[in-house]
Amino acid sequence: MSLIIEPGEDQTSSGEYVKHPGDGKLMAHVPEGIFLAGEDDEPVWVDDFHIDTFPTTNADYARFCAATRHPVPEHWEGGRCPRELYDHPVVHVTWRDANAYATWAGKLLPTAEQWEKAARGTSGRTFPWGDQKTAAKCNVRETGVEHTTSVSRYHSGVSPYGVYDMVGNVWEWLATATTPSRYELRGSAFTSPLFRGVPAIPNDANDTMHDDDTGFRCVASPEQMQPRKR
């Protein structure tokens, strides 16, 4: 079953969401084609894929930990996430934790090109919502929230493909390595200023780093969107 959201002005997608057969999360389709990438807006081809509409939440991650006995984030008191944070992005996860979740779900972490296209669309916009420096459309330092928020809170800040929180809330781990044992992060967080969240600008960290402002989301190839055989 698909949830259809009518496209707004300058959208490059119909905003169709489908549930992934593995973890059941809603995913948005990003069609194949060229987009303008990086600070110089270089044309780059990306094959079609689906990306999680929302970052991986604490509730999502709790199901993964229960199914696999993977260690829970160390800040969960008594090994349980507080109920009021179920729909907030999971934090204090390393790249290795994020990759383990993706493997369990039958997905992948996004490459830098996939993540940037999902955030910016094809026409080189600066932010998911356009070129305006509008901090109110996301959870960054200027917003003044000072902690994570529900992943569905910032409706006006969605990307051209209907993807939430591509700027702010938490930094997101990517599959793209910068050096051995270091991987890209993008999107900024509630702890960082808006300009750090420009999707074309990369960050990176060691694969064992974890913090209260770092999480992830996953992507899936067309093959990974097919129902699993029993």
Side-chain angles (χ1 to χ4, degrees):
M1 181 182 218
S2 306
L3 172 64
I4 308 297
I5 292 182
E6 291 300 324
E9 184 177 356
D10 194 35
Q11 281 200 309
T12 54
S13 165
S14 63
E16 294 185 7
Y17 300 130
V18 294
K19 285 187 176 182
H20 186 264
D23 60 3
K25 283 179 64 65
L26 288 177
M27 303 191 81
H29 181 240
V30 180
E32 66 177 13
I34 292 173
F35 81 106
L36 300 181
E39 296 181 77
D40 296 327
D41 286 341
E42 296 290 337
V44 172
W45 175 276
V46 177
D47 291 334
D48 73 309
F49 64 97
H50 281 77
I51 187 166
D52 287 340
T53 305
F54 306 108
T56 303
T57 65
N58 286 300
D60 298 326
Y61 200 76
R63 287 192 292 271
F64 155 67
C65 292
T68 64
R69 298 188 177 180
H70 191 89
V72 302
E74 62 181 33
H75 66 293
W76 287 7
E77 293 187 14
R80 292 177 178 269
C81 173
R83 184 174 295 275
E84 64 270 19
L85 298 180
Y86 278 3
D87 64 346
H88 286 221
V90 67
V91 295
H92 280 298
V93 285
T94 67
W95 182 91
R96 298 178 186 182
D97 292 328
N99 191 57
Y101 176 98
T103 300
W104 167 77
K107 298 179 175 180
L108 299 165
L109 294 180
T111 65
E113 291 79 12
Q114 288 174 325
W115 192 96
E116 187 180 340
K117 182 176 182 179
R120 300 179 70 191
T122 59
S123 59
R125 57 175 63 187
T126 305
F127 295 102
W129 56 83
D131 295 324
Q132 304 82 16
K133 298 177 181 178
T134 312
K137 292 182 179 290
C138 55
N139 181 9
V140 289
R141 185 185 297 170
E142 293 93 326
T143 315
V145 178
E146 299 183 350
H147 53 73
T148 60
T149 47
S150 168
V151 296
S152 62
R153 174 170 174 169
Y154 290 93
H155 300 285
S156 65
V158 299
S159 83
Y161 300 102
V163 184
Y164 284 66
D165 276 357
M166 297 300 271
V167 172
N169 218 356
V170 294
W171 288 99
E172 297 185 11
W173 285 114
L174 304 184
T176 301
T178 54
T179 60
S181 299
R182 291 186 72 85
Y183 290 86
E184 280 199 26
L185 294 156
R186 296 214 189 186
S188 188
F190 69 90
T191 54
S192 302
L194 177 62
F195 77 86
R196 293 288 283 127
V198 171
I201 300 178
N203 188 10
D204 75 339
N206 189 277
D207 63 3
T208 58
M209 186 280 296
H210 62 89
D211 210 337
D212 66 349
D213 64 355
T214 305
F216 68 99
R217 78 178 76 217
C218 300
V219 296
S221 66
E223 293 75 24
Q224 290 173 320
M225 292 302 295
Q226 299 303 312
R228 293 181 175 181
K229 294 181 180 179
R230 300 190 176 211

